[in-house]
Amino acid sequence: RTHRRGNQSPQRDGIGIVTKVLYVEHNDDNIYMLKTRLELLGGFEVLAAGDSESGCELAVTEHPDVILMDLEMPVVDRWEPVRRLRNDPHTRDIPIIGMSAHALESEREQAIATGCDEFDAKPIEFDSLVATIRRVLAHPKEALINAAMRPFAASRRTFFLSKPPAHSGRRERMA
């Protein structure tokens, strides 16, 4: 999903097409920096919410293409906003990229298991985050499948998302 600025019509080269990003973050400096960089890059409109409650409300009313969610928000349980967005029929299909300064693999696994489509560690690496946003938007169903399968894949040593290796065609003798 993409949104048009004003009354501009979309064009084949992408001019006029804007990705609406909702950034839920309690640190005003982080909001300013990321909003400025994304909008200067072009192709992004960034809405910001300074708390989880406002973020969930904006997600319902503004229907962003993607949500960047700080998982370390004050007051509420860190996973509650993600659960709330996933349980709401108006927001359940919006991709969520969880972000946290806790860069441990267990944090990533918990974010994915709770409902985030992706996870990015803070401090934010801008180019990596932009690539993640584009990847999640380009392949939303694939991101959801991968997110759903990650806890399973992490608990098992081998897991195939594609076809298993083809059989050689030779029959083995069974003793």
Side-chain angles (χ1 to χ4, degrees):
R1 295 181 310 164
T2 52
H3 299 275
R4 293 178 211 117
R5 282 190 183 153
N7 291 330
Q8 294 177 344
S9 60
Q11 298 179 12
R12 288 188 183 263
D13 62 0
I15 296 173
I17 302 293
V18 176
T19 298
K20 189 185 288 189
V21 177
L22 172 58
Y23 185 26
V24 183
E25 165 69 64
H26 66 282
N27 183 305
D28 289 338
D29 291 336
N30 289 349
I31 291 172
Y32 175 78
M33 290 301 295
L34 188 60
K35 178 177 172 53
T36 300
R37 289 193 73 186
L38 283 172
E39 290 179 349
L40 284 173
L41 183 64
F44 293 98
E45 173 189 358
V46 181
L47 307 171
D51 61 72
S52 301
E53 185 67 28
S54 299
C56 289
E57 289 171 8
L58 272 174
V60 170
T61 60
E62 293 294 327
H63 309 286
D65 298 302
V66 63
I67 298 169
L68 306 178
M69 175 73 72
D70 179 8
L71 298 174
E72 297 177 51
M73 300 292 282
V75 183
V76 297
D77 166 37
R78 62 188 303 160
W79 307 112
E80 183 55 33
V82 175
R83 286 188 203 106
R84 183 173 165 193
L85 291 167
R86 285 296 174 234
N87 289 326
D88 187 319
H90 298 101
T91 59
R92 72 172 45 136
D93 295 327
I94 301 172
I96 300 171
I97 300 172
M99 300 187 302
S100 172
H102 300 287
L104 301 173
E105 184 61 27
S106 60
E107 182 80 0
R108 176 185 182 79
E109 289 171 5
Q110 179 66 41
I112 300 299
T114 301
C116 292
D117 297 273
E118 272 295 344
F119 176 85
D120 211 4
K122 289 181 175 182
I124 295 168
E125 284 187 32
F126 184 72
D127 292 335
S128 174
L129 179 61
V130 170
T132 299
I133 292 169
R134 290 184 172 147
R135 183 177 64 252
V136 166
L137 291 174
H139 306 288
K141 291 187 190 268
E142 182 179 303
L144 287 172
I145 290 168
N146 288 340
M149 299 311 280
R150 272 193 197 107
F152 177 75
S155 67
R156 307 258 319 199
R157 292 295 167 159
T158 53
F159 180 77
F160 298 99
L161 284 178
S162 58
K163 292 188 226 175
H167 190 268
S168 67
R170 296 187 337 201
R171 293 189 178 243
E172 301 289 329
R173 275 190 189 234
M174 306 233 356

